[in-house]
Amino acid sequence: SNSPIDSVNTTVTADSTTADIPLALASGTARDGVWSGTWTVNLPHTRIYGAKINVISGSTSDAVDLWFR
């Protein structure tokens, strides 16, 4: 489907703590664009660190999980 993207955010997880970071449409359109954001990892983590990219389009959502050790 070629539905426009309504929003994109990243949920950052460090051990058992999370923080939500919104991303912004940096170029293009909601149908064909680049979403961008930056963050500094200030959350303490000793074992695991992850970032979940969440995409919302209308009533549909999708996500990609990235985990680091």
Side-chain angles (χ1 to χ4, degrees):
S1 149
N2 194 18
S3 299
I5 302 298
D6 295 320
S7 66
V8 180
N9 79 328
T10 300
T11 303
V12 178
T13 302
D15 293 334
S16 63
T17 306
T18 62
D20 289 320
I21 295 108
L23 278 67
L25 182 60
S27 65
T29 69
R31 290 185 190 277
D32 183 20
V34 175
W35 292 77
S36 177
T38 62
W39 62 89
T40 302
V41 178
N42 290 326
L43 299 172
H45 60 284
T46 56
R47 296 187 329 237
I48 195 163
Y49 174 79
K52 182 176 190 174
I53 313 297
N54 306 292
V55 178
I56 309 292
S57 177
S59 62
T60 304
S61 65
D62 205 353
V64 174
D65 291 310
L66 307 170
W67 294 100
F68 312 95
R69 290 193 177 266

